[in-house]
């Protein structure tokens, strides 16, 4: 029994030594795993920070994209509005050009009519002057004839005399007065000229 005791004691020490060695090994492994866990935890936090930063950048990019899309839509609407206004302005310009051409044609026609009217007025003025001249001469001739008949010479007076009633003389004077009034009434005068007194 005494031999069995020391052998068992040796085994026990060996087992304890092995157990302690296994514990130290396990503790070293645990410490290594702890370090690895801390390192991985740091990497995870770093990756999470990068992911958060990337997410924030993505959200900012999405917001910028949305804003640019809205601005692009506004610019397209503004361009369409400007194009419509330009088209309307071109149509108005075409209309004004047409009206201007019509006005120019009407003005040229008016100038032609004015020139024709001026030529006709000149002709009418000349004709009127001739008519007034002829009328004046006819008036003078009529007055001369009436004066000649009203105030006859001595021989004509004797031949026409009615010694008793002188009815014919009164009739002749009435006829002469009517003829004189008719001549005065139909005598032409240029506008603005003063009427001559009856002779």
């Amino acid at each position: 029994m005494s031999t069995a005791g020391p052998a068992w004691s040796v085994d026990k020490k060996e087992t304890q030594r092995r157990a302690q060695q296994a514990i130290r090994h396990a503790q070293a492994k645990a410490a290594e795993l702890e370090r690895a866990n801390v390192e991985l935890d740091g990497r995870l936090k770093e990756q999470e920070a990068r992911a958060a930063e990337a997410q924030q950048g993505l959200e900012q990019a999405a917001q910028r994209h949305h804003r640019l899309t809205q601005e692009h839509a506004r610019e397209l609407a503004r361009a369409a509005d400007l194009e419509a206004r330009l088209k309307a302005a071109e149509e108005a310009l075409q209309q004004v050009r047409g009206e201007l051409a019509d006005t120019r044609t009407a003005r040229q026609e008016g100038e032609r009519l004015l020139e024709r009217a001026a030529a006709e007025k000149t002709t009418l003025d000349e004709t009127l002057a001739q008519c007034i001249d002829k009328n004046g001469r006819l008036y003078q001739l009529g007055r001369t004839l009436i004066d000649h008949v009203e105030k006859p010479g001595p021989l004509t007076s004797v031949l026409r005399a009615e010694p008793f009633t002188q009815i014919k003389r009164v009739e002749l004077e009435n006829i002469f007065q009517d003829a004189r009034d008719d001549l005065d009434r139909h005598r032409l005068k240029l506008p603005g000229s003063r009427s001559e007194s009856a002779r």
Side-chain angles (χ1 to χ4, degrees):
M1 245 178 116
S2 59
T3 22
W8 180 78
S9 174
V10 171
D11 276 344
K12 185 176 176 187
K13 285 182 183 180
E14 185 63 27
T15 303
Q16 284 178 350
R17 187 184 65 75
R18 284 184 187 168
Q20 285 176 356
Q21 192 177 8
I23 289 171
R24 280 195 299 271
H25 186 358
Q27 285 175 344
K29 197 77 166 169
E32 187 181 334
L33 287 173
E34 186 65 31
R35 279 193 304 273
N37 189 26
V38 169
E39 187 179 334
L40 286 175
D41 192 39
R43 286 184 190 172
L44 179 62
K45 286 181 180 177
E46 187 179 324
Q47 291 294 329
E48 285 176 351
R50 286 184 189 168
E53 188 179 327
Q55 180 66 29
Q56 187 179 3
L58 185 62
E59 288 174 1
Q60 289 175 352
Q63 289 174 356
R64 191 177 306 121
H65 175 71
H66 181 66
R67 189 172 60 250
L68 289 173
T69 302
Q70 288 179 335
E71 288 177 6
H72 180 67
R74 280 196 298 269
E75 288 300 321
L76 284 177
R78 190 177 302 142
D81 181 51
L82 287 173
E83 188 175 344
R85 285 162 64 187
L86 179 62
K87 186 175 179 183
E90 286 175 351
E91 289 174 357
L93 181 62
Q94 284 298 112
Q95 184 177 356
V96 168
R97 282 180 179 161
E99 290 173 359
L100 184 61
D102 292 345
T103 303
R104 189 177 295 121
T105 303
R107 192 189 79 192
Q108 290 172 348
E109 181 64 24
E111 287 175 354
R112 281 195 294 273
L113 289 173
L114 190 60
E115 289 172 3
R116 193 178 310 143
E120 289 175 1
K121 181 184 180 301
T122 302
T123 304
L124 286 173
D125 287 346
E126 292 171 357
T127 304
L128 181 62
Q130 292 173 0
C131 288
I132 289 174
D133 182 57
K134 289 178 182 177
N135 180 266
R137 284 186 278 157
L138 284 173
Y139 178 80
Q140 290 300 327
L141 178 62
R143 290 298 296 254
T144 303
L145 288 174
I146 289 172
D147 288 345
H148 180 69
V149 173
E150 279 186 329
K151 301 170 187 172
L155 180 60
T156 309
S157 295
V158 171
L159 291 175
R160 286 194 323 197
E162 290 182 71
F164 300 107
T165 61
Q166 297 217 350
I167 292 173
K168 286 294 180 188
R169 180 170 178 80
V170 173
E171 286 179 8
L172 283 174
E173 285 178 0
N174 287 340
I175 290 170
F176 291 148
Q177 185 62 43
D178 290 342
R180 186 181 300 114
D181 291 343
D182 194 46
L183 277 173
D184 287 338
R185 206 168 36 250
H186 291 93
R187 182 179 184 188
L188 291 177
K189 295 178 183 68
L190 282 170
S193 65
R194 296 188 309 174
S195 61
E196 296 179 16
S197 57
R199 290 188 252 176

